[in-house]
Amino acid sequence: MPYIGQRIERHTVVASTNDLARAAAQRGAAEGLVITAEEQLAGRGRFGRKWRVPRGTSLQLSVLLRPPLPPTATARVVRMAALAVALTLEEHLHLAPTLKWSNDVLLNGRKCAGILLESSLRGDVLEYVVLGIGVNVNFSMRAYPDLAPYATTLQAELGHEIERGALENALLAQLNAQYAKLLYGEDFLDAYRARLTMLGQSIRVAAPTGILEGIAQDVTDDGALILNCQGTEARVYAGDVTILKEPAR
Ligand code: BT5
């Protein structure tokens, strides 16, 4: 039975915990390794974007997994991680998170956590997956005025500081529980859809291939978002979603 967190490597300052986890994976480290950092000098999001958090305030960790699954299963791992974060916030802090495709956890419509999955293939199976998770904990988004309209922290939502060690333990316990389900074949689609507030809404997706607008209809097992663009179905595999306001009548 895998055990996420059986080995935890704690760092004060790193470039990115995902880099360290990838290097460990390439050296043959066992799955379940967790790498944490108090500060990341080059913390990153998708598409090489920056992940910004003041030092010593938050959870920034990477988990090494070796699920014996095909490459399309990375979408299940992202859903699993988003759900594990959401369930931790629900059960440990009694918050009411929602999810935003593909990798965001929101509180009151603002992003409080993000997930960055990086994988390596061997032939047509996953050799390893590095699951990077960042949760904004004890700081104020006043530190980042450009992010403040879209982002939040647990402290801001709860009105008090949170004990990070206990939160990390709760998150690792959730990840273990959900990863066991993944290995038994769970696709996490129903639980993910249930928290995906954008379904049925008019949205804009900025995808690497261009901008699309339509009604968000569903998500697929391999990670696509299905959009209804004036009667034509479109599938998008990566991008950033903005919810559009209802047009004025
Ligand atoms: C993500 O990317 O949301 C993935 C974040 C993953 C961070 C973890 S921390 C541990 C591990 N090691 C790493 O180097 N990374 C992972 P994406 O969906 O692309 O969102 C990035 C965008 O979110 C940026 O372009 C900003 O607009 C915004 N952003 C940056 N910092 C933020 C923060 N602390 N909270 C909310 N939004 C933020």
Side-chain angles (χ1 to χ4, degrees):
M1 185 64 189
Y3 180 55
I4 295 169
Q6 57 182 313
R7 197 174 133 215
I8 304 185
E9 237 183 73
R10 297 192 184 279
H11 296 266
T12 310
V13 186
V14 300
S16 157
T17 55
N18 265 36
D19 290 344
L20 293 181
R22 281 165 65 164
Q26 277 153 17
R27 288 195 304 268
E31 80 167 341
L33 170 67
V34 172
I35 298 189
T36 72
E38 291 296 308
E39 181 177 14
Q40 297 191 106
L41 299 176
R44 61 174 179 270
R46 296 169 306 149
F47 316 118
R49 295 182 298 206
K50 282 204 157 62
W51 184 252
R52 289 181 287 157
V53 164
R55 85 177 289 171
T57 63
S58 293
L59 297 189
Q60 301 189 92
L61 57 87
S62 297
V63 181
L64 170 62
L65 298 174
R66 297 185 183 274
L69 295 171
T72 50
T74 51
R76 290 187 179 189
V77 182
V78 172
R79 287 196 293 276
M80 174 199 85
L83 278 166
V85 172
L87 287 166
T88 302
L89 302 185
E90 284 170 17
E91 292 172 13
H92 184 69
L93 297 173
H94 311 294
L95 287 162
T98 58
L99 299 178
K100 184 171 164 196
W101 181 86
S102 57
N103 66 331
D104 295 352
V105 182
L106 311 184
L107 287 168
N108 290 315
R110 293 194 169 111
K111 178 164 172 170
C112 68
I115 287 147
L116 174 68
L117 182 142
E118 296 175 322
S119 60
S120 169
L121 304 183
R122 178 161 288 163
D124 53 8
V125 291
L126 286 169
E127 181 194 10
Y128 67 80
V129 165
V130 167
L131 187 56
I133 303 178
V135 185
N136 300 332
V137 187
N138 292 324
F139 67 99
S140 160
M141 276 297 161
R142 281 193 291 275
Y144 305 110
D146 56 318
L147 298 180
Y150 321 101
T152 189
T153 70
L154 303 188
Q155 181 182 23
E157 298 299 320
L158 286 166
H160 59 78
E161 283 203 9
I162 288 103
E163 214 274 284
R164 283 189 296 147
L167 181 67
E168 185 189 279
N169 286 341
L171 175 59
L172 294 180
Q174 261 310 332
L175 283 168
N176 271 297
Q178 301 308 320
Y179 189 55
K181 290 191 199 167
L182 178 99
L183 294 179
Y184 279 108
E186 171 68 50
D187 62 19
F188 302 102
L189 273 172
D190 287 342
Y192 186 79
R193 284 186 188 112
R195 292 174 175 78
L196 200 63
T197 45
M198 67 173 66
L199 292 182
Q201 303 221 40
S202 193
I203 63 168
R204 174 182 298 136
V205 188
T209 47
I211 308 264
L212 279 170
E213 283 188 11
I215 311 285
Q217 301 254 280
D218 202 1
V219 282
T220 63
D221 189 21
D222 64 349
L225 176 66
I226 304 181
L227 283 179
N228 179 339
C229 306
Q230 296 183 325
T232 308
E233 185 183 290
R235 284 173 188 234
V236 203
Y237 281 88
D240 288 307
V241 170
T242 314
I243 309 229
L244 301 174
K245 294 262 178 295
E246 285 291 315
R249 287 171 194 244

